[in-house]
Every structure is written in C-alpha cells, then in structure tokens.
C-alpha cells in the first residue's frame, strides 16, 4: 500500500496537473486540435486521484466489522441487508473485466445507493454518483501480496473498511440531494 500510495497515486496527480496545464496552453494558442487526447488524460488521471483519495480514507487499521446507524439502515433499505450487500459488492468487484473499481455510490438524483463498476479510473459511471466506498481492483492493488487470487484480497479488505469514514461520506452525499435535479 505504501508503494501504491507513493508511486501510483502521485503519478495520477502529476498527470492531472499536466493535462490542466496543456488545456491552458491550448486556450492561449487557440489551437484545440489535440483536445480529445488531453481530455482523456484529464479524465483518467483526475479519476485516479479522486478514486485513491476516497480509497485511502475508506480504510483504517482499526476498521472492519459491520456498519452501524445510518449506513446500516441504508444498506438494509437498498440491498436487503449487509450480507446481501457484501455478496453483491464482492461479486461486482471480482467480475470486473480488466482494471477498475467496485463502488458503493449515492445517486443524487435517484436518492439511493448503487453498487457500480468503474472501468479504468473514469469509465462506466455517470455523473451524479457520489462514491462513499471504493475498492481498487487494479492488479497493482493486490498482485504483490495476493498474486492472482483477487477474491482473497477482496475478502481481506473488509477487515480494514473504515465505517466511520463511510458514515461521514454518506451523510455529506445525502446533503447534496437536489444538486443536479432540484426537487
Ligand atoms: Mn490503485
């Protein structure tokens, strides 16, 4: 995880900053011929920064156990219980084709929790989904320790999930209801 944080995450921050600088150059020159490539880089690298920023805080050495309070209630409401949610989230994570993330997100329009697959760092999740729990399913996240047995990595990860952080995130996400489509 130290390598993951220091090397991989830093590369996304650098990449996002480089893309922002390129767009500034484009505005200065008025030449937007290369805009598609730069926009792809911006989405990928900014996505990497965003995703890892959530992921690190979603974990704690004192984590694990079952969610309580508002998170437990929301999981019951939208997934029919914690075990059913966990099975869904794990199945979702283990089935991701290629690199990606398994995400529990608050849908600000539907006012509900969704489990979603995020491809690479930026694909397959529409705007308006606010992540509250994210699991990195890129090979770099598990291969050093778990080699090809990613199901064991997913299983072990629940032992470090920081439910206090998830609780804070869900409360803040819910406070944005109406942000995109006002009631
Ligand atoms: Mn990663």
């Amino acid at each position: 995880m130290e390598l993951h944080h220091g090397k991989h995450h830093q590369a996304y921050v650098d990449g996002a900053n480089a893309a922002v600088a390129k767009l500034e150059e484009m505005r200065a020159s008025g030449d937007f011929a290369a805009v598609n490539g730069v926009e792809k880089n911006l989405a990928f690298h900014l996505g990497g920064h965003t995703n890892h920023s959530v992921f690190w805080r979603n974990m704690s050495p004192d984590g694990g156990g079952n969610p309580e309070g508002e998170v437990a209630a929301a999981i019951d409401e939208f997934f029919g219980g914690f075990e059913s949610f966990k099975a869904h989230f794990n199945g979702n994570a283990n089935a991701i084709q290629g690199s990606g993330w398994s995400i529990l997100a608050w849908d600000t329009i539907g006012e509900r929790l969704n489990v979603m697959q995020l491809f690479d760092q930026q694909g397959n999740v529409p705007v308006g989904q606010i992540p509250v729990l994210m699991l990195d399913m890129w090979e770099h996240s598990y291969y050093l320790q778990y080699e090809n047995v990613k199901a064991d990595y997913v299983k072990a990860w629940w032992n470090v999930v920081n439910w206090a952080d998830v609780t804070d995130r869900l409360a803040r996400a819910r406070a944005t209801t109406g942000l995109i489509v006002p009631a």
Side-chain angles (χ1 to χ4, degrees):
M1 283 297 181
E2 274 175 28
L3 186 74
H4 193 172
H5 182 269
K7 302 286 187 207
H8 291 286
H9 190 168
Q10 190 58 49
Y12 296 122
V13 173
D14 294 345
N17 285 330
V20 167
K22 268 269 184 287
L23 291 171
E24 226 171 272
E25 284 171 30
M26 285 183 186
R27 286 192 299 275
S29 70
D31 179 1
F32 294 96
V35 72
N36 288 358
V38 178
E39 284 292 341
K40 278 183 185 165
N41 284 339
L42 179 63
F44 177 80
H45 289 289
L46 187 53
H49 173 49
T50 307
N51 301 336
H52 289 91
S53 296
V54 175
F55 182 53
W56 304 132
R57 290 171 178 82
N58 273 166
M59 296 181 289
S60 160
D62 308 318
N66 289 10
E68 294 169 2
E70 203 198 330
V71 173
I75 285 175
D76 285 348
E77 181 181 356
F78 299 113
F79 302 99
F82 184 55
E83 288 311 315
S84 154
F85 159 71
K86 229 165 100 168
H88 180 172
F89 192 94
N90 288 355
N92 190 62
N94 288 319
I96 288 169
Q97 296 176 321
S99 297
W101 295 72
S102 188
I103 296 184
L104 175 66
W106 180 256
D107 177 352
T108 66
I109 297 175
E111 295 180 47
R112 54 164 294 121
L113 285 170
N114 290 324
V115 168
M116 308 189 93
Q117 291 184 335
L118 177 65
F119 298 154
D120 296 321
Q121 302 291 2
Q122 78 279 31
N124 202 52
V125 175
V127 295
Q129 307 294 312
I130 300 177
V132 297
L133 182 63
M134 300 190 69
L135 174 57
D136 193 338
M137 290 306 298
W138 280 57
E139 266 188 9
H140 70 227
S141 64
Y142 61 84
Y143 214 86
L144 277 180
Q145 198 173 342
Y146 294 94
E147 296 187 339
N148 59 328
V149 193
K150 63 179 168 182
D152 285 356
Y153 158 73
V154 172
K155 203 173 153 202
W157 176 73
W158 291 104
N159 296 325
V160 294
V161 168
N162 181 358
W163 290 111
D165 180 66
V166 178
T167 302
D168 288 348
R169 286 179 190 283
L170 180 59
R172 294 201 301 275
R174 279 186 142 155
T176 68
T177 293
L179 185 71
I180 294 175
V181 178

